[in-house]
Amino acid sequence: MADKIQTIGVLTSGGDAPGMNAAIRAVVRQALAKGLKVKGIKRGYAGLLQEEIIDMEAKDVSDIIQRGGTILQTARCPEFVNPEVQKQGAEICRKHGIDGLVVIGGDGSFQGAQKLANLGINTIGLPGTIDLDIACTEYTIGFDTAVNTAMEAIDKVRDTSTSHERCSVIEVMGRGAGYIALWCGIANGAEMVLLPEKYDYDEQKIVDDIIAARKRGKQHYIIVNAEGIGHSTEMAKRIEAATGMETRATILGHMQRGGSPTCKDRVYASTMGAHAVDLLCEGKSNRVVGYRHGEFVDDDINEALAMQKQIPEYEYEICKNLSLK
Ligand code: ADP
Ligand code: F6P
């Protein structure tokens, strides 16, 4: 059993996500409730290397649960893949008395946490990304807010598409993963959803489908295109040329990463933040918190990183079946 933890550090890394603030708040307040000290590390691993480390008290996380972004700021720090740089990171943690570290981010950030754990710093990862692309969990901090933001935006585009009898290609985020696109496909009743995991790049099929839908009197045609496929502007031009239906591209972009977190993101991020502190207090390290089958769980980071995630077939099937073309 490891020595009792005394000081917990917390950082956010990779892309920000709504709900990260709720997780930071929970880490700080749960740790203080257990009599521990807390230090906030600014700008992810980059800030750790620069020793941008601040003491955190309960009031420092007041009035943030409802705010998007991350009060600790976030950064990408490519040099952290270097083992010598990782050793510096571990030394800096020790210098500041940080014996437990909560890393809020995605798979890349967990790899940094794994390296620090190997160097003797107890680490716990919390899944923070709008992309939902972390295999060990059915929930990631920020996805719920982002997908609701995208859904509302797509509803708005749909109104104007219907009025003008247009086709709209709407690009949503997700990096190489199609979860935001799939959920919007279902939630917005899109005529077509293109996921990087499933797309066969046969644009003629889309063109034929649009022409058939127009013949049946369909007033709009919404294509939700995942960022992993991209090229929405060019796709829209080709579709317009091939179908004769006026077509516009809308790339939703970073608006999906901002905004006040939904209730679900606030509650789940808070629970995960508190759970991370509990795990550290139990002497656990190199673990990532997840949510599966209705329960909060934790897995070894090495095992979590080795897990594979696939687009759920049933949801993909119904997404296609439920839209009336
Ligand atoms: P995410 O955490 O959202 O997946 P990135 O993949 O950009 O985002 O990773 C965030 C940061 O995690 C990187 O900028 C880097 O500092 C750190 N990181 C990524 N991969 C590794 C690795 N193999 N070893 C150590 N640190 C890593
Ligand atoms: O991982 C979150 C995410 O928003 C992805 O959906 C997107 O591909 C990427 O980050 C964008 O990164 P950046 O903010 O560096 O442009």
Side-chain angles (χ1 to χ4, degrees):
M1 180 86 162
D3 289 342
K4 199 175 165 313
I5 293 281
Q6 293 186 341
T7 303
I8 289 183
V10 55
L11 63 80
T12 47
S13 167
D16 66 346
M20 280 185 166
N21 280 329
I24 295 167
R25 173 179 174 272
V27 169
V28 171
R29 298 230 168 127
Q30 181 79 345
L32 293 173
K34 295 201 161 206
L36 310 177
K37 286 191 190 142
V38 194
K39 296 200 183 231
I41 300 163
K42 305 204 85 173
R43 299 184 180 80
Y45 295 117
L48 174 66
L49 297 174
Q50 297 297 317
E51 298 189 50
E52 294 183 67
I53 300 173
I54 52 170
D55 291 328
M56 295 194 83
E57 302 298 338
K59 68 174 174 8
D60 295 322
V61 290
S62 293
D63 203 25
I64 66 167
I65 196 166
Q66 79 285 13
R67 283 166 52 191
T70 158
I71 59 160
L72 289 175
Q73 327 280 159
T74 184
R76 296 202 165 93
C77 177
E79 65 268 32
F80 210 70
V81 299
N82 178 336
E84 287 308 311
V85 174
Q86 293 158 8
K87 276 187 205 155
Q88 281 172 32
E91 274 315 309
I92 291 167
C93 286
R94 271 188 274 276
K95 179 176 159 191
H96 288 265
I98 295 170
D99 41 18
L101 179 65
V102 179
V103 171
I104 309 169
D107 280 342
S109 305
F110 297 160
Q111 294 195 45
Q114 176 193 52
K115 304 300 179 331
L116 289 173
N118 293 341
L119 292 163
I121 308 297
N122 299 301
T123 59
I124 304 291
L126 295 187
T129 169
I130 64 164
D131 301 335
L132 197 67
D133 60 349
I134 298 178
C136 65
T137 183
E138 294 158 10
Y139 164 83
T140 60
I141 296 168
F143 174 76
D144 191 59
T145 306
V147 82
N148 273 287
T149 301
M151 179 191 75
E152 285 170 19
I154 293 169
D155 280 345
K156 291 179 177 144
V157 176
R158 181 190 175 119
D159 286 346
T160 168
S161 282
T162 309
S163 306
H164 287 262
E165 298 181 80
R166 281 176 176 158
C167 170
S168 277
V169 180
I170 308 171
E171 187 172 312
V172 297
M173 273 191 168
R175 207 184 287 258
Y179 297 97
I180 297 179
L182 175 63
W183 280 56
C184 286
I186 297 172
N188 294 102
E191 280 64 41
M192 180 71 67
V193 56
L194 306 178
L195 313 180
E197 297 90 341
K198 298 284 183 188
Y199 189 40
D200 60 5
Y201 289 86
D202 183 354
E203 224 166 77
Q204 190 57 44
K205 268 195 229 159
I206 305 174
V207 167
D208 292 345
D209 204 55
I210 293 171
I211 292 169
R214 277 303 281 162
K215 281 194 184 137
R216 287 195 301 273
K218 190 87 192 169
Q219 290 181 310
H220 62 238
Y221 194 99
I222 303 294
I223 302 174
V224 176
N225 184 33
E227 175 192 23
I229 296 167
H231 303 286
S232 296
T233 306
E234 297 78 8
M235 192 188 284
K237 283 185 189 145
R238 288 193 299 269
I239 286 173
E240 180 167 309
T243 62
M245 189 175 188
E246 236 189 332
T247 304
R248 295 284 186 271
T250 306
I251 298 168
L252 297 183
H254 285 83
M255 68 176 290
Q256 295 161 95
R257 284 241 298 264
S260 182
T262 58
C263 181
K264 179 172 180 174
D265 274 329
R266 295 181 200 196
V267 173
Y268 281 35
S270 297
T271 309
M272 286 182 156
H275 193 61
V277 173
D278 292 349
L279 290 172
L280 286 169
C281 288
E282 288 164 21
K284 305 258 176 71
S285 177
N286 198 41
R287 306 208 54 91
V288 54
V289 178
Y291 182 84
R292 289 198 300 271
H293 309 305
E295 280 181 23
F296 291 94
V297 293
D298 54 279
D299 293 284
D300 180 86
I301 292 187
N302 310 357
E303 288 170 18
L305 288 172
M307 292 180 195
Q308 303 289 323
K309 190 169 195 171
Q310 261 140 23
I311 288 286
E313 281 303 325
Y314 189 70
E315 276 86 338
Y316 182 58
E317 266 319 297
I318 65 159
C319 182
K320 290 188 284 183
N321 294 345
L322 298 188
S323 78
L324 174 67
K325 303 204 182 74

